[in-house]
Amino acid sequence: KAGVTQTPRYLIKTRGQQVTLSCSPISGHRSVSWYQQTPGQGLQFLFEYFSETQRNKGNFPGRFSGRQFSNSRSEMNVSTLELGDSALYLCASSLFGGTGANVLTFGAGSRLTVL
Amino acid sequence: TQLLEQSPQFLSIQEGENLTVYCNSSSVFSSLQWYRQEPGEGPVLLVTVVTGGEVKKLKRLTFQFGDARKDSSLHITAAQPGDTGLYLCASSYNQGGKLIFGQGTELSVKP
């Protein structure tokens, strides 16, 4: 079965611009989580969506937002980009989410560079 | 604030050597997962441990979960160049879909 698909894989933006990243989960998976990965901070949780509702949110400013559609596809948006937003953005899907032993399948990520 | 501490951060060894990576927390884990990430890819789940004292084996990889469920280790026997990658431990601390990751251990196995 197809894995988690993230688009675009690479993108370059300048400070002040905004960006939208897309994630298509594994077919049948209803939970989508987003993570930011940087060399300094490692992998940090952004938010989780389940059945079009945000169920968990990490400690990121309001410039970071997301949504989930009825087909479970998800998008995340970052507005007013800053240099520090340069990172690998990873999307992960799971069947239900919300369990103690949550099994996530990650996509390959979207590499964002902010100049 | 829940924190996962991994050690060592970097490890460079020769093919055939053994190694151990550690993951510790001041809080009790509900469960603990180990992932491996290769350059240009997302993390891939290796194992989930749930019960204190649990030991799981995956070929040359042995995963242990501490009795108190506050620590875990990953031991690789006779490392191979294909084991090269970033090893990450993660736990949800019962917060559903939110995983907290350790900083990772960058492993390089030289032929």
Side-chain angles (χ1 to χ4, degrees):
Chain A
K1 57 182 176 184
V4 179
T5 304
Q6 291 189 246
T7 56
R9 287 294 310 275
Y10 304 92
L11 66 166
I12 300 174
K13 294 284 187 179
T14 55
R15 278 180 298 176
Q17 287 187 309
Q18 73 158 10
V19 67
T20 298
L21 308 177
S22 179
C23 173
S24 293
I26 290 173
S27 177
H29 282 194
R30 295 167 62 189
S31 169
V32 173
S33 303
W34 288 89
Y35 291 81
Q36 181 197 64
Q37 186 174 29
T38 60
Q41 299 297 318
L43 266 151
Q44 292 187 288
F45 174 79
L46 281 157
F47 24 67
E48 180 204 6
Y49 287 88
F50 182 80
S51 293
E52 301 178 65
T53 301
Q54 187 180 86
R55 188 158 62 175
N56 267 303
K57 190 176 190 310
N59 295 325
F60 279 83
R63 300 185 297 108
F64 292 82
S65 63
R67 59 178 175 167
Q68 187 180 32
F69 302 96
S70 58
N71 62 358
S72 293
R73 191 177 71 84
S74 177
E75 289 181 346
M76 67 162 282
N77 183 276
V78 188
S79 62
T80 320
L81 284 166
E82 300 177 0
L83 295 178
D85 297 332
S86 294
L88 180 66
Y89 290 88
L90 291 160
C91 163
S93 78
S94 65
L95 203 54
F96 299 113
T99 63
N102 204 12
V103 178
L104 302 186
T105 303
F106 283 86
S110 293
R111 170 77 62 187
L112 170 65
T113 301
V114 182
L115 303 176
Chain B
T1 301
Q2 293 139 342
L3 201 63
L4 280 179
E5 294 184 0
Q6 266 187 259
S7 62
Q9 264 192 285
F10 302 95
L11 202 47
S12 181
I13 61 173
Q14 293 295 130
E15 182 176 2
E17 292 183 9
N18 301 332
L19 67 116
T20 303
V21 177
Y22 300 93
C23 179
N24 296 283
S25 170
S26 56
S27 303
V28 174
F29 300 122
S30 58
S31 65
L32 195 287
Q33 298 175 347
W34 285 93
Y35 290 82
R36 185 165 80 104
Q37 184 178 20
E38 296 187 40
E41 300 295 329
V44 175
L45 179 68
L46 295 173
V47 77
T48 300
V49 284
V50 179
T51 307
E54 186 174 3
V55 177
K56 282 192 175 179
K57 290 184 187 264
L58 186 65
K59 296 183 182 177
R60 294 175 294 100
L61 279 59
T62 301
F63 303 87
Q64 286 191 298
F65 202 15
D67 290 338
R69 293 192 295 142
K70 286 186 173 183
D71 60 277
S72 181
S73 65
L74 156 60
H75 182 80
I76 301 179
T77 304
Q80 298 176 1
D83 295 327
T84 293
L86 177 68
Y87 288 82
L88 296 152
C89 64
S91 180
S92 66
Y93 290 101
N94 265 339
Q95 288 188 45
K98 175 182 176 180
L99 282 183
I100 296 169
F101 282 85
Q103 282 291 87
T105 295
E106 191 78 53
L107 172 64
S108 174
V109 182
K110 295 178 174 23

